Amino acid sequence: MLDTIEKLNILSEDSQYDLACSCGTSQKNRRRRTLEGKWLYPVPLARGGYGIMLKTLLSNACSSDCKYCPLRHDGNTPRRCTLTPDETARAFMNHLRRQWLLGIFLSSGIIGTPDHTMQLLTDTAAILRYKYRYKGYIHLKIIPGASEAAVRRALQLSTAVSLNIEAPGRQHFAKLSSYKDYNRDIIAPLKLMAAETSRGAEYAKVKCTTQFIVGASDETDREIVKYMDGIYNRLKFERVYFSAYQTGLGKPDLPGERNFTLDPGDRLTREHRLYQVDFLMRAYQFNASEMVYDDKGNLDLSRDPKEAWALSHPEFFPVRINKGDKEALLRVPGLGPVSVERILLARKNFRIRALEDIGIRGKLARKAFSYLDFS
C-alpha cells in the first residue's frame, strides 16, 4: 500500500499531462521539477518577478475518455492512486515549511462524477484555508461537467480557477471525447465562471484562465484565434494558454495522430506562434481579424505573426521613429512594449538617428531597421 509521499510523487509526476496554465514563452516562466520529482510552476507576480507554485493531481484515476490523455479510463497508466484532501493539505503545508511557495495548483482525474471530484478539490482547499489558516495562492481546476454550486464553492475558496476549453468548437471537441458534452460540460461552466468573476460580482477578484490542446483534433489556428478573441473580449478571462499535443500520448484514432504532418518541433513552434498571437492581442493592440494565415487557415511557422502582418501591409511602413505614435511603433517587427517606451522617452530629449542610440542592438535591431524611417 502506497504512503502519502509515494502517492504525491506519482500524482505530481502525472500532473504533467494536465498542462493548464503551465506553459510559457521563455525559460523564466516554464515549469521545472524538484529533485523529489514534484512539478513547480513559475507564476508572474503583480509586483514583478515570479513565485513558485506546487502542482499535483488528487487522483490519476479518471472516468473520462479524453483521447489525447494517457490518464483516460482505458489508458495504460500503471499505478492509479488517489490522495485524500487531508493528505494533500498536510503534504503541501509540510512542503511549505521547507521551501517558500507562492501556492498550490490542484487538479484531478474525474473520480466517479465531476461533482464528487470537485468536492474532494474544494475540501482540500477548505482544509488549507480553515484548518491551517493558509491565506496564500490556491488555483483549483474546475472539472468539466461540474454543477453551478460546485463551481461557486471553488470560486469561494480560490485565488484562481481554470477549465480547459480544449478545442475551438463542438465539432472538433467531439473528436476528443464522447464522455463530455462540449456545450454542457465546457462552455456552460466557462460562462458561469465569467459571470461570477465579472466586475462587481461576488468573486470579482478570482482570476479565470483556460487552455487549448493544440493539434489533438483537426482545428486550424484561425479557429483557435477566433475563440481566443471571444474568451478575452466576451468572457474577460485573465489568460488563454496553449498546450501542443505530442504524438504517442493519445489513441491511434485521434485526428492529431492520423493527420500527423508536423514533427514534434513544429508542433511546439505552432504552440509558440499562438502564444505570440496572444501577446499581440493583449499587449500590442492587434485584433484577431488582423492575423495572417495560409490557405489552410494556419499561422506561418517560419516567421512570427507580427512580421507576417508587416509583410502583408507594406503600405503601413516605414514608421517614423521620431514622430510615429505608440500604436504604430508597436507594429514594427523587432520592437516590443519596452523598446517602444524607450523610444518615446528618448525622443523627448534628442532626435534618434539609430536604434543603437537608445541601446537597441542585435537581431531585433536588424529586424526593425528596415521598417523604420529615421528622418
Short mmCIF file of all heavy atoms in Angstrom, two decimals, residues 17-22 55 66 68 105 107 139-145 161-167 173 180 182 185-187 189-190 193 209-213 231 237 241-243:
data_model
loop_
_atom_site.label_atom_id
_atom_site.label_comp_id
_atom_site.label_asym_id
_atom_site.label_seq_id
_atom_site.Cartn_x
_atom_site.Cartn_y
_atom_site.Cartn_z
N TYR A 17 0.52 15.81 -17.50
CA TYR A 17 -0.44 15.61 -18.59
C TYR A 17 -1.61 16.57 -18.50
O TYR A 17 -2.39 16.67 -19.44
CB TYR A 17 -0.94 14.17 -18.59
CG TYR A 17 0.16 13.15 -18.70
CD1 TYR A 17 0.34 12.18 -17.72
CD2 TYR A 17 1.05 13.18 -19.76
CE1 TYR A 17 1.36 11.25 -17.81
CE2 TYR A 17 2.07 12.25 -19.86
CZ TYR A 17 2.23 11.29 -18.88
OH TYR A 17 3.24 10.38 -18.97
N ASP A 18 -1.76 17.24 -17.37
CA ASP A 18 -2.80 18.24 -17.20
C ASP A 18 -2.10 19.59 -17.18
O ASP A 18 -1.73 20.10 -16.14
CB ASP A 18 -3.55 18.01 -15.90
CG ASP A 18 -4.66 19.03 -15.70
OD1 ASP A 18 -4.92 19.80 -16.62
OD2 ASP A 18 -5.24 19.05 -14.60
N LEU A 19 -1.91 20.17 -18.37
CA LEU A 19 -0.97 21.28 -18.52
C LEU A 19 -1.59 22.65 -18.36
O LEU A 19 -0.97 23.65 -18.71
CB LEU A 19 -0.30 21.19 -19.90
CG LEU A 19 0.60 19.97 -20.11
CD1 LEU A 19 1.06 19.91 -21.55
CD2 LEU A 19 1.79 20.00 -19.18
N ALA A 20 -2.81 22.72 -17.84
CA ALA A 20 -3.45 24.03 -17.76
C ALA A 20 -2.58 25.04 -17.04
O ALA A 20 -2.11 24.82 -15.94
CB ALA A 20 -4.78 23.91 -17.02
N CYS A 21 -2.34 26.16 -17.73
CA CYS A 21 -1.65 27.29 -17.12
C CYS A 21 -0.22 26.98 -16.74
O CYS A 21 0.34 27.57 -15.82
CB CYS A 21 -2.40 27.79 -15.89
SG CYS A 21 -4.16 27.88 -16.16
N SER A 22 0.40 26.08 -17.46
CA SER A 22 1.77 25.71 -17.11
C SER A 22 2.78 26.11 -18.16
O SER A 22 3.97 26.00 -17.93
CB SER A 22 1.85 24.20 -16.90
OG SER A 22 1.65 23.52 -18.13
N LYS A 55 2.30 21.90 -8.01
CA LYS A 55 1.14 21.36 -8.72
C LYS A 55 1.05 19.87 -8.53
O LYS A 55 2.05 19.15 -8.64
CB LYS A 55 1.21 21.69 -10.20
CG LYS A 55 0.02 21.13 -10.98
CD LYS A 55 0.07 21.52 -12.44
CE LYS A 55 -1.12 20.92 -13.18
NZ LYS A 55 -1.10 21.24 -14.60
N CYS A 66 -10.86 11.18 -22.61
CA CYS A 66 -10.13 12.15 -23.45
C CYS A 66 -9.05 11.42 -24.24
O CYS A 66 -8.08 10.91 -23.66
CB CYS A 66 -9.50 13.24 -22.58
SG CYS A 66 -10.70 14.16 -21.60
N TYR A 68 -6.63 12.27 -26.03
CA TYR A 68 -5.26 12.78 -26.05
C TYR A 68 -4.52 12.52 -24.75
O TYR A 68 -3.32 12.75 -24.65
CB TYR A 68 -5.26 14.29 -26.33
CG TYR A 68 -6.04 15.09 -25.33
CD1 TYR A 68 -5.48 15.48 -24.12
CD2 TYR A 68 -7.36 15.46 -25.59
CE1 TYR A 68 -6.20 16.20 -23.20
CE2 TYR A 68 -8.10 16.18 -24.66
CZ TYR A 68 -7.51 16.55 -23.47
OH TYR A 68 -8.23 17.26 -22.54
N PHE A 105 -1.48 24.41 -7.07
CA PHE A 105 -2.39 24.17 -8.18
C PHE A 105 -2.93 22.76 -8.00
O PHE A 105 -2.19 21.80 -8.06
CB PHE A 105 -1.65 24.30 -9.51
CG PHE A 105 -2.54 24.20 -10.73
CD1 PHE A 105 -2.58 25.25 -11.63
CD2 PHE A 105 -3.28 23.08 -11.00
CE1 PHE A 105 -3.37 25.18 -12.77
CE2 PHE A 105 -4.08 22.99 -12.13
CZ PHE A 105 -4.12 24.04 -13.03
N SER A 107 -5.52 19.80 -9.24
CA SER A 107 -6.34 19.27 -10.30
C SER A 107 -6.59 17.80 -10.00
O SER A 107 -6.16 17.28 -8.97
CB SER A 107 -5.65 19.46 -11.65
OG SER A 107 -6.51 19.04 -12.70
N HIS A 139 -4.98 27.60 -6.68
CA HIS A 139 -5.58 27.50 -8.01
C HIS A 139 -6.28 26.15 -8.11
O HIS A 139 -5.65 25.11 -7.97
CB HIS A 139 -4.48 27.61 -9.08
CG HIS A 139 -5.01 27.68 -10.49
ND1 HIS A 139 -4.55 28.60 -11.39
CD2 HIS A 139 -5.96 26.96 -11.14
CE1 HIS A 139 -5.19 28.44 -12.54
NE2 HIS A 139 -6.06 27.44 -12.41
N LEU A 140 -7.59 26.18 -8.32
CA LEU A 140 -8.37 24.95 -8.43
C LEU A 140 -8.81 24.73 -9.87
O LEU A 140 -9.26 25.66 -10.55
CB LEU A 140 -9.61 25.00 -7.54
CG LEU A 140 -9.39 24.96 -6.03
CD1 LEU A 140 -10.73 24.94 -5.31
CD2 LEU A 140 -8.55 23.77 -5.62
N LYS A 141 -8.67 23.51 -10.31
CA LYS A 141 -9.17 23.13 -11.62
C LYS A 141 -10.67 22.85 -11.52
O LYS A 141 -11.12 22.11 -10.64
CB LYS A 141 -8.44 21.86 -12.09
CG LYS A 141 -8.83 21.40 -13.48
CD LYS A 141 -8.20 22.29 -14.53
CE LYS A 141 -8.45 21.73 -15.93
NZ LYS A 141 -7.65 20.51 -16.14
N ILE A 142 -11.44 23.48 -12.39
CA ILE A 142 -12.86 23.18 -12.48
C ILE A 142 -13.02 21.94 -13.36
O ILE A 142 -12.54 21.91 -14.49
CB ILE A 142 -13.64 24.37 -13.08
CG1 ILE A 142 -13.44 25.64 -12.24
CG2 ILE A 142 -15.13 24.01 -13.21
CD1 ILE A 142 -13.95 25.55 -10.83
N ILE A 143 -13.66 20.93 -12.83
CA ILE A 143 -13.83 19.68 -13.55
C ILE A 143 -14.95 19.84 -14.58
O ILE A 143 -16.04 20.33 -14.25
CB ILE A 143 -14.16 18.53 -12.58
CG1 ILE A 143 -13.04 18.38 -11.54
CG2 ILE A 143 -14.37 17.22 -13.33
CD1 ILE A 143 -11.67 18.06 -12.11
N PRO A 144 -14.73 19.43 -15.84
CA PRO A 144 -15.80 19.53 -16.85
C PRO A 144 -17.07 18.84 -16.37
O PRO A 144 -17.03 17.72 -15.85
CB PRO A 144 -15.20 18.79 -18.05
CG PRO A 144 -13.73 18.94 -17.88
CD PRO A 144 -13.49 18.89 -16.40
N GLY A 145 -18.19 19.52 -16.52
CA GLY A 145 -19.47 18.97 -16.09
C GLY A 145 -19.83 19.29 -14.66
O GLY A 145 -20.88 18.86 -14.17
N VAL A 161 -9.04 30.01 -10.83
CA VAL A 161 -9.63 28.76 -11.30
C VAL A 161 -9.38 28.63 -12.80
O VAL A 161 -9.17 29.62 -13.49
CB VAL A 161 -11.15 28.69 -11.01
CG1 VAL A 161 -11.43 28.64 -9.52
CG2 VAL A 161 -11.87 29.87 -11.66
N SER A 162 -9.43 27.39 -13.27
CA SER A 162 -9.26 27.18 -14.71
C SER A 162 -10.09 25.99 -15.15
O SER A 162 -10.36 25.07 -14.37
CB SER A 162 -7.79 26.94 -15.06
OG SER A 162 -7.29 25.78 -14.42
N LEU A 163 -10.51 26.03 -16.39
CA LEU A 163 -11.19 24.91 -17.04
C LEU A 163 -10.74 24.90 -18.49
O LEU A 163 -10.90 25.90 -19.19
CB LEU A 163 -12.71 25.08 -16.94
CG LEU A 163 -13.57 24.14 -17.79
CD1 LEU A 163 -13.34 22.69 -17.41
CD2 LEU A 163 -15.05 24.49 -17.66
N ASN A 164 -10.16 23.81 -18.93
CA ASN A 164 -9.68 23.73 -20.30
C ASN A 164 -10.83 23.74 -21.30
O ASN A 164 -11.73 22.90 -21.22
CB ASN A 164 -8.86 22.45 -20.51
CG ASN A 164 -7.50 22.50 -19.86
OD1 ASN A 164 -7.15 23.49 -19.22
ND2 ASN A 164 -6.73 21.44 -20.02
N ILE A 165 -10.77 24.66 -22.26
CA ILE A 165 -11.74 24.65 -23.35
C ILE A 165 -11.41 23.54 -24.34
O ILE A 165 -12.28 23.05 -25.05
CB ILE A 165 -11.80 26.03 -24.05
CG1 ILE A 165 -12.99 26.10 -25.00
CG2 ILE A 165 -10.48 26.37 -24.75
CD1 ILE A 165 -13.27 27.49 -25.55
N GLU A 166 -10.16 23.15 -24.41
CA GLU A 166 -9.64 22.01 -25.18
C GLU A 166 -9.63 22.23 -26.68
O GLU A 166 -8.61 22.05 -27.33
CB GLU A 166 -10.37 20.72 -24.82
CG GLU A 166 -10.25 20.36 -23.34
CD GLU A 166 -10.81 19.00 -23.01
OE1 GLU A 166 -10.65 18.07 -23.82
OE2 GLU A 166 -11.41 18.87 -21.92
N ALA A 167 -10.78 22.57 -27.27
CA ALA A 167 -10.86 22.71 -28.73
C ALA A 167 -11.79 23.86 -29.09
O ALA A 167 -12.71 24.18 -28.33
CB ALA A 167 -11.35 21.41 -29.36
N PHE A 173 -14.21 19.26 -30.70
CA PHE A 173 -14.20 18.67 -29.37
C PHE A 173 -14.74 17.24 -29.40
O PHE A 173 -14.24 16.36 -28.69
CB PHE A 173 -15.03 19.52 -28.42
CG PHE A 173 -15.03 19.05 -27.00
CD1 PHE A 173 -14.02 19.42 -26.13
CD2 PHE A 173 -16.05 18.22 -26.52
CE1 PHE A 173 -14.01 18.98 -24.81
CE2 PHE A 173 -16.05 17.79 -25.20
CZ PHE A 173 -15.03 18.17 -24.35
N LYS A 180 -17.76 13.63 -22.54
CA LYS A 180 -18.12 15.01 -22.19
C LYS A 180 -18.90 15.66 -23.33
O LYS A 180 -18.66 15.40 -24.51
CB LYS A 180 -16.85 15.83 -21.92
CG LYS A 180 -16.06 15.36 -20.71
CD LYS A 180 -14.78 16.14 -20.52
CE LYS A 180 -13.74 15.83 -21.57
NZ LYS A 180 -12.44 16.46 -21.28
N TYR A 182 -19.70 19.23 -25.08
CA TYR A 182 -18.99 20.49 -25.18
C TYR A 182 -19.78 21.66 -24.58
O TYR A 182 -19.27 22.41 -23.75
CB TYR A 182 -18.66 20.78 -26.63
CG TYR A 182 -17.72 21.94 -26.86
CD1 TYR A 182 -16.41 21.90 -26.40
CD2 TYR A 182 -18.13 23.07 -27.56
CE1 TYR A 182 -15.54 22.95 -26.62
CE2 TYR A 182 -17.26 24.12 -27.79
CZ TYR A 182 -15.96 24.06 -27.32
OH TYR A 182 -15.10 25.10 -27.54
N ASP A 185 -20.73 20.70 -20.61
CA ASP A 185 -19.64 20.44 -19.66
C ASP A 185 -18.49 21.42 -19.75
O ASP A 185 -17.70 21.54 -18.81
CB ASP A 185 -19.09 19.02 -19.86
CG ASP A 185 -20.15 17.95 -19.61
OD1 ASP A 185 -21.11 18.24 -18.87
OD2 ASP A 185 -20.03 16.84 -20.16
N ILE A 186 -18.36 22.13 -20.88
CA ILE A 186 -17.25 23.06 -21.06
C ILE A 186 -17.75 24.51 -21.16
O ILE A 186 -17.39 25.36 -20.34
CB ILE A 186 -16.43 22.71 -22.32
CG1 ILE A 186 -15.92 21.25 -22.26
CG2 ILE A 186 -15.28 23.69 -22.49
CD1 ILE A 186 -14.93 20.98 -21.16
N ILE A 187 -18.58 24.78 -22.15
CA ILE A 187 -18.99 26.16 -22.41
C ILE A 187 -19.84 26.72 -21.27
O ILE A 187 -19.62 27.86 -20.81
CB ILE A 187 -19.73 26.27 -23.75
CG1 ILE A 187 -18.80 25.85 -24.90
CG2 ILE A 187 -20.24 27.69 -23.97
CD1 ILE A 187 -17.53 26.67 -25.00
N PRO A 189 -19.99 25.96 -17.93
CA PRO A 189 -19.22 26.39 -16.75
C PRO A 189 -18.24 27.53 -17.04
O PRO A 189 -17.99 28.36 -16.16
CB PRO A 189 -18.49 25.12 -16.31
CG PRO A 189 -18.59 24.16 -17.43
CD PRO A 189 -19.81 24.52 -18.20
N LEU A 190 -17.70 27.61 -18.25
CA LEU A 190 -16.84 28.75 -18.59
C LEU A 190 -17.63 30.05 -18.51
O LEU A 190 -17.14 31.06 -17.98
CB LEU A 190 -16.26 28.58 -19.99
CG LEU A 190 -15.12 27.57 -20.17
CD1 LEU A 190 -14.76 27.42 -21.65
CD2 LEU A 190 -13.88 27.97 -19.36
N MET A 193 -18.23 30.84 -14.84
CA MET A 193 -17.02 31.40 -14.24
C MET A 193 -16.88 32.86 -14.60
O MET A 193 -16.53 33.71 -13.76
CB MET A 193 -15.80 30.60 -14.73
CG MET A 193 -15.72 29.19 -14.17
SD MET A 193 -14.67 28.08 -15.18
CE MET A 193 -13.08 28.93 -15.14
N THR A 209 -8.76 31.32 -16.08
CA THR A 209 -7.93 31.01 -17.24
C THR A 209 -8.47 29.75 -17.92
O THR A 209 -9.26 28.99 -17.33
CB THR A 209 -6.46 30.78 -16.85
OG1 THR A 209 -6.37 29.64 -15.98
CG2 THR A 209 -5.88 31.99 -16.16
N THR A 210 -8.03 29.53 -19.14
CA THR A 210 -8.41 28.33 -19.88
C THR A 210 -7.27 27.94 -20.80
O THR A 210 -6.27 28.68 -20.92
CB THR A 210 -9.72 28.54 -20.67
OG1 THR A 210 -10.17 27.28 -21.18
CG2 THR A 210 -9.52 29.52 -21.83
N GLN A 211 -7.39 26.80 -21.47
CA GLN A 211 -6.31 26.32 -22.33
C GLN A 211 -6.84 25.46 -23.48
O GLN A 211 -7.80 24.72 -23.31
CB GLN A 211 -5.31 25.50 -21.53
CG GLN A 211 -4.15 24.98 -22.38
CD GLN A 211 -2.97 24.57 -21.55
OE1 GLN A 211 -2.05 25.34 -21.35
NE2 GLN A 211 -2.99 23.34 -21.05
N PHE A 212 -6.20 25.61 -24.63
CA PHE A 212 -6.47 24.76 -25.79
C PHE A 212 -5.44 23.64 -25.85
O PHE A 212 -4.25 23.87 -25.59
CB PHE A 212 -6.37 25.57 -27.09
CG PHE A 212 -7.48 26.57 -27.29
CD1 PHE A 212 -7.34 27.88 -26.86
CD2 PHE A 212 -8.66 26.19 -27.89
CE1 PHE A 212 -8.36 28.80 -27.04
CE2 PHE A 212 -9.70 27.10 -28.08
CZ PHE A 212 -9.54 28.41 -27.66
N ILE A 213 -5.87 22.45 -26.19
CA ILE A 213 -4.97 21.35 -26.52
C ILE A 213 -4.76 21.42 -28.03
O ILE A 213 -5.66 21.07 -28.80
CB ILE A 213 -5.54 19.99 -26.10
CG1 ILE A 213 -6.05 20.04 -24.66
CG2 ILE A 213 -4.51 18.89 -26.30
CD1 ILE A 213 -4.99 20.38 -23.63
N ILE A 231 -12.93 34.64 -25.76
CA ILE A 231 -12.59 34.39 -24.36
C ILE A 231 -12.09 35.67 -23.70
O ILE A 231 -12.43 35.97 -22.55
CB ILE A 231 -11.53 33.27 -24.26
CG1 ILE A 231 -12.16 31.94 -24.66
CG2 ILE A 231 -10.96 33.18 -22.85
CD1 ILE A 231 -11.15 30.84 -24.94
N PHE A 237 -11.58 36.68 -19.57
CA PHE A 237 -10.66 35.84 -18.81
C PHE A 237 -9.30 36.49 -18.71
O PHE A 237 -8.89 37.29 -19.55
CB PHE A 237 -10.54 34.46 -19.48
CG PHE A 237 -11.57 33.46 -19.01
CD1 PHE A 237 -12.83 33.87 -18.60
CD2 PHE A 237 -11.28 32.11 -18.97
CE1 PHE A 237 -13.78 32.96 -18.17
CE2 PHE A 237 -12.21 31.18 -18.53
CZ PHE A 237 -13.47 31.60 -18.13
N TYR A 241 -4.14 29.82 -22.49
CA TYR A 241 -2.90 29.07 -22.64
C TYR A 241 -3.06 28.01 -23.73
O TYR A 241 -4.19 27.69 -24.14
CB TYR A 241 -2.52 28.38 -21.32
CG TYR A 241 -2.14 29.35 -20.23
CD1 TYR A 241 -3.11 29.97 -19.45
CD2 TYR A 241 -0.81 29.65 -19.97
CE1 TYR A 241 -2.77 30.86 -18.45
CE2 TYR A 241 -0.46 30.55 -18.97
CZ TYR A 241 -1.45 31.15 -18.21
OH TYR A 241 -1.09 32.03 -17.22
N PHE A 242 -1.93 27.50 -24.19
CA PHE A 242 -1.92 26.52 -25.27
C PHE A 242 -0.96 25.39 -24.91
O PHE A 242 0.12 25.63 -24.37
CB PHE A 242 -1.47 27.17 -26.58
CG PHE A 242 -2.18 28.45 -26.89
CD1 PHE A 242 -1.64 29.67 -26.50
CD2 PHE A 242 -3.40 28.46 -27.53
CE1 PHE A 242 -2.29 30.86 -26.74
CE2 PHE A 242 -4.07 29.63 -27.78
CZ PHE A 242 -3.51 30.85 -27.39
N SER A 243 -1.36 24.18 -25.22
CA SER A 243 -0.50 23.03 -25.00
C SER A 243 -0.46 22.20 -26.27
O SER A 243 -1.49 21.69 -26.73
CB SER A 243 -1.01 22.17 -23.84
OG SER A 243 -0.22 21.02 -23.69
#
